Amino acid sequence: MKWLLMTLTGILMLYSPTAESCSFRIKGGDLIRCGMTKIEVMDKIGNPDMRDRQSIGVNTGFGRGSKSAEAWSYIVRGDIGGTYYLTVLFSGSKVVEIESRQARR
């Protein structure tokens, strides 16, 4: 799954593996965290600047299956200050990973 985020983030900017976690505090103190639904994320930070959906082939030994993931990318103001590139990865309708990188660094 990490390669999926790296590919998406690389499209938006040069990728630098910095902070990976399961939460991000936006300006105003609201928290985006793993387990949130798509509706909850949109309520806090709005529509994404970019969406990407990819299917990942999985060999289960009994034929091929696939997993689907959706990544939403944002440019947001962080609570600490400054602008951040934020990628939120969903599996189904729940957040499973959040990646952020401060802009202009």
Side-chain angles (χ1 to χ4, degrees):
M1 285 173 122
K2 183 165 177 124
W3 69 267
L4 171 67
L5 287 174
M6 289 174 47
T7 302
L8 178 63
T9 306
I11 292 170
L12 254 118
M13 63 186 167
L14 295 173
Y15 178 78
S16 172
T18 53
E20 286 185 15
S21 64
C22 217
S23 66
F24 182 83
R25 192 166 302 278
I26 58 175
K27 185 175 177 117
D30 282 335
L31 188 66
I32 305 300
R33 58 178 167 62
C34 282
M36 292 179 78
T37 65
K38 291 178 180 180
I39 292 171
E40 290 172 320
V41 172
M42 287 180 72
D43 184 49
K44 293 193 183 281
I45 53 180
N47 288 319
D49 297 315
M50 186 172 120
R51 292 181 193 204
D52 185 39
R53 177 173 283 289
Q54 295 187 6
S55 291
I56 304 165
V58 178
N59 186 347
T60 61
F62 299 103
R64 294 188 64 92
S66 67
K67 291 184 179 180
S68 181
E70 186 173 3
W72 290 4
S73 298
Y74 294 90
I75 299 173
V76 297
R77 302 272 308 159
D79 191 45
I80 295 173
T83 302
Y84 288 81
Y85 299 111
L86 183 68
T87 301
V88 182
L89 183 68
F90 295 90
S91 180
S93 66
K94 300 282 186 175
V95 175
V96 293
E97 192 170 339
I98 299 170
E99 193 167 298
S100 64
R101 177 177 177 259
Q102 192 167 14
R104 298 183 188 97
R105 280 215 171 178

